[in-house]
Amino acid sequence: MTERQSLKQAQRIVIKIGTSTLTHACGRLNLELLADLAAQVAVEHKAGKEILLVTSGAVGAGLGRLNLREKPVSLPDRQAVAAIGQGLLMEVYTKFFTGHGITVAQILLTREDMNDRRRYLNARNTLLKLVGDFKAVPIINENDTVATEELRFGDNDTLSALVAGLVGADLLVLLSDVNGLFTGDPRKNREASLIPVVKEITSEIWAMAGQAGTALGTGGMLTKLEAARIATSSGIPMVLAAGKDPGIINRITGGEQVGTLFLPVRENLLGRKRWIAFAGQPRGQLVIDNGAVEALTIHKKSLLPSGVVGVKGQFNLGDLVSIVDSTNREIARGLSNFSAVEIMKIMGKKSKDIIKILGHKSYDEVVHRDNLVCLE
């Protein structure tokens, strides 16, 4: 079976629809296109597939309803516009899907829902109940009406990849205003060509990303590559394609060669390690020496106090931390066995000295291998 033909077997599919696809240039919802996308999803749904939609467009829909031409600058204004647009967006989705006999459900998430492991699992259980038992199509969006800057996903490309990992999807589809990943910006370089398949996201691939994006949207090609990195590291293939191409969803699931297919890595992250690597938000940072970098990345060892040379931020035992080298390059993420204050006292020391320094010792490692994910 070819790489494209294998997509026919995908049963649980996350589809992300970008603002540029959902709205006209003026910001108003493109109702004709939305009706067509709902019809395409209905085909998949009636074939017994579980579909989850991650949608942008709340702010864009709000702008259209208020006859505003640009996104507000201040956070309260953006949140108010999103509150108006979110209701309009759900009204439209409900209308179009009801016409196909499909029930929809609204799910609004913030970064904090992913940071907290319990809330993360609760979100998973709710989504699986909706698509499994109730045969509903969840309409998922970032909760722009309450999310502060530090608790935002930043874009729905990232959110869709996290949702795909959350529910264990078989396929992630990103529908955007681009036909896929090109060797350059096709709007500026006529010789830029489409890359049909990406087997590995290398530094050369990142260099091709550029800085695409639209006035109403928040994502560019870099965010789409980040989504691909999260999805493929979780064992999930991703297709990036143009949302306005006729029948695009059904063509992708039918194995047609459209857009760019990002293949999953062979050794993918599962369960809790997937949450550690991508979903959680680090509470602090550990700086490690070159010997510790080698121990973690090559020898697959735990992080010992002797390899830590610096601590940044305030965190407690059990919190997620980012592990960086001397150049501030992120090497790994993991769950700390000690608080920031305790690590500052034991860093650079031998594990056997921990009990002398702290007066207690529950662990020999600052971060155990079982609770650590290398990002290199």
Side-chain angles (χ1 to χ4, degrees):
M1 186 178 296
T2 66
E3 296 158 343
R4 292 284 182 166
Q5 290 297 310
S6 66
L7 300 184
K8 292 181 178 181
Q9 308 302 316
Q11 289 298 306
R12 184 174 296 157
I13 305 170
V14 174
I15 302 171
K16 182 264 180 176
I17 307 175
T19 300
S20 58
T21 302
L22 287 172
T23 60
H24 295 291
C26 64
R28 294 185 182 277
L29 289 175
N30 187 334
L31 298 180
E32 183 179 352
L33 184 66
L34 272 167
D36 179 66
L37 290 172
Q40 292 184 58
V41 170
V43 170
E44 305 299 329
H45 188 269
K46 289 173 182 177
K49 298 185 179 182
E50 298 174 349
I51 307 296
L52 301 92
L53 279 185
V54 176
T55 180
S56 300
V59 173
L63 291 174
R65 176 58 62 91
L66 296 169
N67 292 316
L68 299 175
R69 294 186 178 182
E70 297 180 352
K71 280 198 295 187
V73 176
S74 75
L75 181 61
D77 286 350
R78 288 203 305 273
Q79 291 176 328
V81 171
I84 293 170
Q86 186 62 39
L88 177 61
L89 199 57
M90 281 307 300
E91 179 185 338
V92 172
Y93 276 122
T94 300
K95 175 184 176 181
F96 288 141
F97 278 106
T98 298
H100 295 282
I102 298 173
T103 299
V104 297
Q106 178 175 247
I107 300 289
L108 298 176
L109 298 172
T110 66
R111 171 61 81 171
E112 192 63 25
D113 296 316
M114 294 292 185
N115 289 347
D116 186 287
R117 178 73 174 160
R118 182 178 298 177
R119 288 163 66 174
Y120 178 85
L121 295 175
N122 284 342
R124 170 183 166 82
N125 293 337
T126 298
L127 289 168
L128 293 183
K129 175 66 71 172
L130 286 169
V131 298
D133 293 351
F134 297 152
K135 309 302 179 185
V137 172
I139 308 295
I140 306 162
N141 199 356
E142 181 164 15
N143 195 347
D144 290 319
T145 62
V146 299
T148 56
E149 290 299 333
E150 62 269 19
L151 294 181
R152 297 191 73 249
F153 292 99
D155 60 88
N156 277 349
D157 295 327
T158 300
L159 174 59
S160 66
L162 292 174
V163 168
L166 177 70
V167 300
D170 302 312
L171 172 64
L172 171 62
V173 175
L174 256 59
L175 299 182
S176 184
D177 59 345
V178 294
N179 293 320
L181 178 66
F182 285 75
T183 55
D185 188 341
R187 295 170 300 185
K188 300 176 181 178
N189 181 1
R190 292 184 179 181
E191 296 183 358
S193 58
L194 177 70
I195 302 173
V197 179
V198 174
K199 296 183 178 180
E200 181 183 2
I201 303 176
T202 62
S203 57
E204 290 77 17
I205 293 294
W206 283 107
M208 294 175 188
Q211 294 289 342
T214 63
L216 292 174
T218 57
M221 190 55 70
L222 288 174
T223 67
K224 289 164 181 56
L225 281 187
E226 178 61 20
R229 183 178 76 92
I230 295 171
T232 56
S233 296
S234 302
I236 303 167
M238 186 189 101
V239 175
L240 170 63
K244 294 182 180 179
D245 279 2
I248 189 63
I249 295 173
N250 305 139
R251 291 164 65 193
I252 291 171
T253 59
E256 187 175 330
Q257 185 169 304
V258 289
T260 299
L261 170 62
F262 294 83
L263 297 177
V265 299
R266 291 182 180 178
E267 296 182 8
N268 57 77
L269 299 171
L270 300 174
R272 193 162 56 98
K273 287 209 169 185
R274 186 187 300 161
W275 176 84
I276 290 172
F278 303 118
Q281 194 80 342
R283 302 288 185 183
Q285 194 176 76
L286 299 178
V287 184
I288 61 175
D289 60 24
N290 292 336
V293 171
E294 182 178 330
L296 267 56
T297 58
I298 299 176
H299 302 297
K300 310 302 181 185
K301 299 291 187 180
S302 299
L303 176 60
L304 300 177
S306 58
V308 180
V309 296
V311 181
K312 299 178 182 179
Q314 296 297 322
F315 54 88
N316 298 314
L317 182 155
D319 281 347
L320 182 65
V321 294
S322 172
I323 302 170
V324 303
D325 65 11
S326 58
T327 67
N328 205 41
R329 179 174 55 115
E330 189 172 34
I331 302 299
R333 290 184 179 185
L335 303 179
S336 179
N337 286 332
F338 298 90
S339 69
V341 172
E342 290 172 328
I343 297 175
M344 283 191 277
K345 294 178 180 177
I346 63 174
M347 65 182 190
K349 309 295 184 183
K350 300 291 185 182
S351 295
K352 63 182 178 64
D353 296 327
I354 293 177
I355 194 166
K356 285 186 207 174
I357 299 169
L358 299 181
H360 63 87
K361 185 178 76 167
S362 300
Y363 305 94
D364 288 328
E365 312 87 5
V366 170
V367 180
H368 193 276
R369 187 72 210 177
D370 292 344
N371 296 321
L372 184 147
V373 177
C374 284
L375 302 177
E376 286 292 293

